[in-house]
Amino acid sequence: MSGNEAIARGAYEAGVTFASGYPGTPSTEILENIVQYKKHIYCEWSPNEKVAFEAAAAAAWAGARAIVTMKHVGLNVAADPLMTLSYIGVEGGFVCCVADDPGMHSSQNEQDSRHYARFAKVPMFEPSDSSEAKEFLIKALEISEKYKTPTILRSTTRVSHSCSIVETADRKENPKKIAFEKNPPRFVTVPLYAREMRNKMEGRLKELFEEVNKSELNKIEWRDKSLGIITASISYQYVREVWPDASVLKLGFSYPFPDKLIKEFAAGVKKVLVVEELDDILEEHVRSLGINCIGREFLPGIGELSISTLQKSRAKMEGKQPPAQKTIKYLDQLPARPPVLCPGCPHRGIFLALSRQDVIVTGDIGCYSLGTFKPLNRLDSILCMGAGISMAHGLDKVGEKKKVVGIVGDSTFFHSGITGLLDIAYNKGKATIIVVDNRTTAMTGHQEHPGTGRTLMGETTKAISIEQIGKACGIERVVTIDPYNAEKTQKIIEEELNSNVSSLIVSYAPCPLRERKRVGIIRRIDKLVCKNCKMCLKLGCPAIDGTGEKPVINELLCSGCGLCEQICPFDAINPIDEKEQL
């Protein structure tokens, strides 16, 4: 199983009955695998991580075992309820499954979620492979119920997406009766009650300190005692390969820090090395215990660790030359493959229209982030989910001379764009907002959201209208466009930019990759008519090959969107005969 599959299996075996989350690589597949157990577990894609966290917390208050899933930046969104849930606690087991992304394979930052465990004063568990991912999820639920505390299971990209052997077991149903007990001093965080909750939380932390020092998830592996390595998560796997003879203290139940175990281990070795990805949280704590250790001076704090990275670190520690890295055959012959929008992507029509306007475009998190790169080159900023709208308003209000356009996707709009739209309407902003609605959460693998009309469990439901939400927010100018119609899209964007009031444009066209069918008829370039102006190449469509004497359309890739035909000034691009369709 992959780590994410194993977490889902652990939820099933542990008797979880409620699972919620918001898709985000590398955590997405947890819920996508939990849905196979939908006879036993209710699961949902929530509009955002905060909502998902709060819903799961309420389920745990009623006695259910619940998990919530998200990626590291999603935990920022859920941080508000996390901090207070630590005060209140839970009745049923509650685990927040968060997946960090060292190296930023698919993220806008590589923050270290371990800070949140210490910040919120909640237990954290860090599996190093798929087997541990399943077992640690179960253990986290048990600790959660024993101490009535929320817990965090921290994965990383490598743990979530790597596969290893997992032993499965039967499901054990939660014996608790599902019923929320009215008890304001227990659940209501007005200052009168919250002050006492704070005291109880600190007392719980002392109890957890004793628990973590005797936990079987933290173990010492005695080998050569000239070097002892303290590590956790995927770093443990790398350590065992690079320092096979060293003694190792492997932390699985990593917060609260097992101080007694750390001191015992440090006393048994001559030198202590702390190996951890990203921030030097563990190293800093080891030093605070009065233990002399090494770590950051030899190990990078940026990007993910790897075997080769640690081999270099070991060579540096020992004053040796790093081992020669194996060369990958034919690597220098592989063509560059920059990320691009898919053939037929409807977002391309929007960027084409915007490329003809002298405007600032505040972007957002989604496939349309690829509009940043050449030849589209039409996004000027990306901050976080929903900021495409809010930042457009900020630039407008500060007196930016150019017109400002904010772009968000449909899933992002439901996630955190609505409040930004309210801000524009309420504070009389003039920014033009475009929601590129392709009817799915495309970037993370085509998950459902409130606008798709289907739930994670496959049920038909209301498809929430972005246009109606826009009007309800107070935006008076709301228009829907077909982004494949280049002329009309251009005209409407110009009209809205010149309206001198705020407006909402909904670019509606389903993602062809999800639909698994072409948008229209395949096009072909007539070489005799083509003047080699290369206008078609400005679309950045991977189906158009510009490496030859003249551009050529790859008919296996062409999705038939027709944008290239519409922008060709010499009518050199035309639909091919239906009989010739591949």
Side-chain angles (χ1 to χ4, degrees), residues 16-22 31 42-70 77-78 80-82 85 89-96 178 180:
V16 166
T17 55
F18 186 98
S20 57
Y22 183 80
L31 277 187
Y42 167 79
C43 48
E44 69 173 34
W45 290 125
S46 303
N48 64 30
E49 296 86 357
K50 180 176 184 291
V51 172
F53 192 102
E54 292 160 350
W61 283 351
R65 284 192 160 186
I67 70 167
V68 58
T69 72
M70 61 197 68
V77 181
D80 191 3
L82 168 64
L85 186 63
V90 294
E91 291 296 318
F94 177 96
V95 182
C96 175
I178 305 301
F180 177 76

Side-chain angles (χ1 to χ4, degrees), residues 13 45 79-80 149 255 293 368 373 414 524:
E13 292 181 11
W45 290 125
D80 191 3
T149 177
Y255 187 83
C293 65
Y368 45 94
F373 304 112
F414 291 116
R524 181 179 293 164

Side-chain angles (χ1 to χ4, degrees), residues 271-274 282-284 286-287 291-295 297:
K271 181 187 291 184
V272 175
L273 168 66
V274 180
L282 184 55
E283 180 184 346
E284 181 184 87
V286 171
R287 291 183 188 278
I291 298 170
N292 187 26
C293 65
I294 57 176
E297 61 264 48

Side-chain angles (χ1 to χ4, degrees), residues 66 79 107 117 146 231 252-253 259 282 292 356 365 453 455 469 529:
S107 308
K146 181 177 179 180
T231 190
F253 187 171
D259 291 354
L282 184 55
N292 187 26
R356 297 171 177 174
I365 311 298
T455 69
I469 288 177
V529 180

Side-chain angles (χ1 to χ4, degrees), residues 23 45 439-441 446-450 452-456 514:
W45 290 125
R439 312 309 290 171
T440 187
T441 314
H446 303 112
Q447 290 78 28
E448 308 294 348
H449 63 62
T452 65
R454 290 184 69 80
T455 69
L456 174 59
R514 176 168 184 170

Side-chain angles (χ1 to χ4, degrees), residues 51 59 153 174 263 265 290 302 335 403 439 442 449 472 499 529 546 580:
V51 172
L153 180 81
N174 180 11
K263 290 177 180 178
F265 178 72
I302 299 173
K403 298 283 187 178
R439 312 309 290 171
H449 63 62
S499 67
V529 180
E580 297 183 67

